Amino acid sequence: MTHAASAGAGAPGSPPAGPARLTDVAALAGVSVGTASKALNGGGRMRPETRQRVLDAVATLGFRPNQHAQNLHTGRSWTVGLMTTDGIGRFSTPVLLGAEDALGAGKISVLLCDTRGDAIREQHHLRNLIDRRVDGIIVTGRRTDPRPPLTGVSGLETIPVVYALSPSTDPADTSVVSDDRGGAQLAVEHLLSTGRTRVAHVTGPEHHAAARDRARHGIGHLTDAGLELSTGRVHFGEWSEAWGRRAAEAVLRTAPETDAFFCGNDQIARGVADTLRERGVNVPGDIAVVGYDNWDTMALASRPPLTTIDMNLAEIGRIAALRLLEAIDAEGGALPGAHTVACRLVVREST
């Protein structure tokens, strides 16, 4: 009995006793080892049915290629670095998830590095990524302000880099960003379509690009419609509910005829909605409120739930990953310049 079992394990056509090897795959597919290798690497000229026989043999035997050997053969590590300055992850997490989805489809592993906005930590992570011979790097952050390009580490010049959400200050670099002009237009046009004509704008710190850009574009779209801000100015402040509450009070004192608020983010918009509710103002009957970011934690918990602008952060990450893959496959730099991703309007009960 023991003798028969031993003989059966080595019988022709039977599964190998240990982990399957490339020679086992070749034997089962009826091809040479070289042909099997080319079929797995996607190289070589062969008939489709030959390649399929190799793939079928791989599935039957549960063969796992030697990744190290493949890397030596192709000169690639099949890994990509994702660097973020956003330790909280409010904005960078959706971007990174979108990038990972696109990279995962190509069976590329992702190495996540959080620099926490520290230049020394960034250099440390950058050296580690280069030592690991990553095929490319995606850089993102928690703000839309332009950031300096990655520099200062030997070997970086040969690796494609794409910046997502936070663009590079170098126009020769590839950046994928949100279309704040389009987002502001969606917000203003939606308010105008509901009959609002006296719009106030409450937003974050003036030194933040997102606050400045959304304010500038919002005013521009009102001007195009022959209107101006109800209070005659932008209310810059903080990205917080507390600021939204205070700003709403100030707006209603200055311009009680205001019939809409376009807010720079959802936290501010929720604070505005709180003040309006406490003062007995009907939202949206008397005053409509539009936020920005489509942050579910804020937008859905607001009373009423907020109409808001979604920045399509996951799509920004996905497009950044695709641009990076194109650069890697082309063995050259990615297409330079800033590439914008359209925002979308999410309508809820606040308008």
Side-chain angles (χ1 to χ4, degrees), residues 25-327:
V25 171
L28 184 57
V31 299
S32 69
V33 172
T35 298
S37 176
K38 290 176 183 177
L40 292 178
N41 290 327
R45 298 180 62 181
M46 65 186 70
R47 291 185 297 180
E49 54 267 30
T50 301
R51 193 184 304 276
Q52 189 59 51
R53 281 208 316 274
V54 174
L55 297 178
D56 290 342
V58 166
T60 299
L61 298 175
F63 173 70
R64 295 178 62 86
N66 184 317
Q67 190 64 53
H68 179 66
Q70 279 197 323
N71 293 350
L72 291 176
H73 176 73
T74 62
R76 289 178 57 173
S77 65
W78 302 97
T79 57
V80 161
L82 293 178
M83 295 186 69
T84 177
T85 61
D86 183 9
I88 298 175
R90 162 66 192 95
F91 294 98
S92 65
T93 295
V95 172
L96 297 176
L97 290 175
E100 193 172 37
D101 285 345
L103 295 169
K107 298 181 180 179
I108 292 178
S109 299
V110 177
L111 300 175
L112 176 60
C113 304
D114 178 13
T115 70
R116 305 179 195 175
D118 182 85
I120 295 176
R121 189 182 293 269
E122 179 174 280
Q123 290 289 295
H124 167 73
H125 284 309
L126 192 51
R127 283 191 294 270
N128 282 341
L129 291 175
I130 292 175
D131 288 344
R132 291 173 177 264
R133 300 180 62 203
V134 295
D135 296 324
I137 300 173
I138 295 175
V139 183
T140 189
R142 63 177 178 268
R143 288 166 57 173
T144 61
D145 297 77
R147 55 148 293 151
L150 297 179
T151 57
V153 177
S154 177
L156 179 61
E157 62 279 356
T158 64
I159 300 175
V161 178
V162 174
Y163 299 82
L165 186 63
S166 304
S168 169
T169 54
D170 187 344
D173 287 334
T174 301
S175 301
V176 182
V177 300
S178 179
D179 181 12
D180 270 339
R181 177 191 293 273
Q185 180 175 359
L186 287 172
V188 171
E189 287 183 349
H190 176 65
L191 288 172
L192 299 184
S193 72
T194 64
R196 318 295 167 153
T197 57
R198 298 180 295 277
V199 181
H201 185 51
V202 180
T203 190
E206 190 170 7
H207 64 273
H208 283 205
R212 294 193 309 273
D213 292 344
R214 292 165 194 173
R216 183 175 77 256
H217 297 314
I219 291 172
H221 293 305
L222 284 173
T223 301
D224 291 343
L227 301 170
E228 61 182 21
L229 292 174
S230 66
T231 62
R233 69 181 183 90
V234 176
H235 295 262
F236 290 105
E238 305 165 355
W239 300 115
S240 69
E241 294 172 75
W243 165 240
R245 290 192 289 270
R246 296 197 306 272
E249 292 281 3
V251 167
L252 295 179
R253 284 197 304 270
T254 304
E257 76 283 1
T258 296
D259 59 11
F261 281 83
F262 168 34
C263 301
N265 79 349
D266 291 336
Q267 288 169 277
I268 294 171
R270 184 174 173 181
V272 167
D274 285 347
T275 288
L276 295 178
R277 186 178 65 256
E278 290 165 4
R279 291 176 62 123
V281 176
N282 181 274
V283 177
D286 299 321
I287 297 179
V289 179
V290 173
Y292 210 106
D293 294 340
N294 195 27
W295 184 11
D296 286 356
T297 302
M298 287 291 153
L300 298 180
S302 177
R303 291 184 290 168
L306 296 171
T307 291
T308 183
I309 302 299
D310 192 310
M311 297 170 65
N312 276 335
L313 295 174
E315 181 67 4
I316 290 175
R318 192 184 73 85
I319 296 298
L322 293 178
R323 296 290 84 81
L324 186 68
L325 291 174
E326 289 171 2

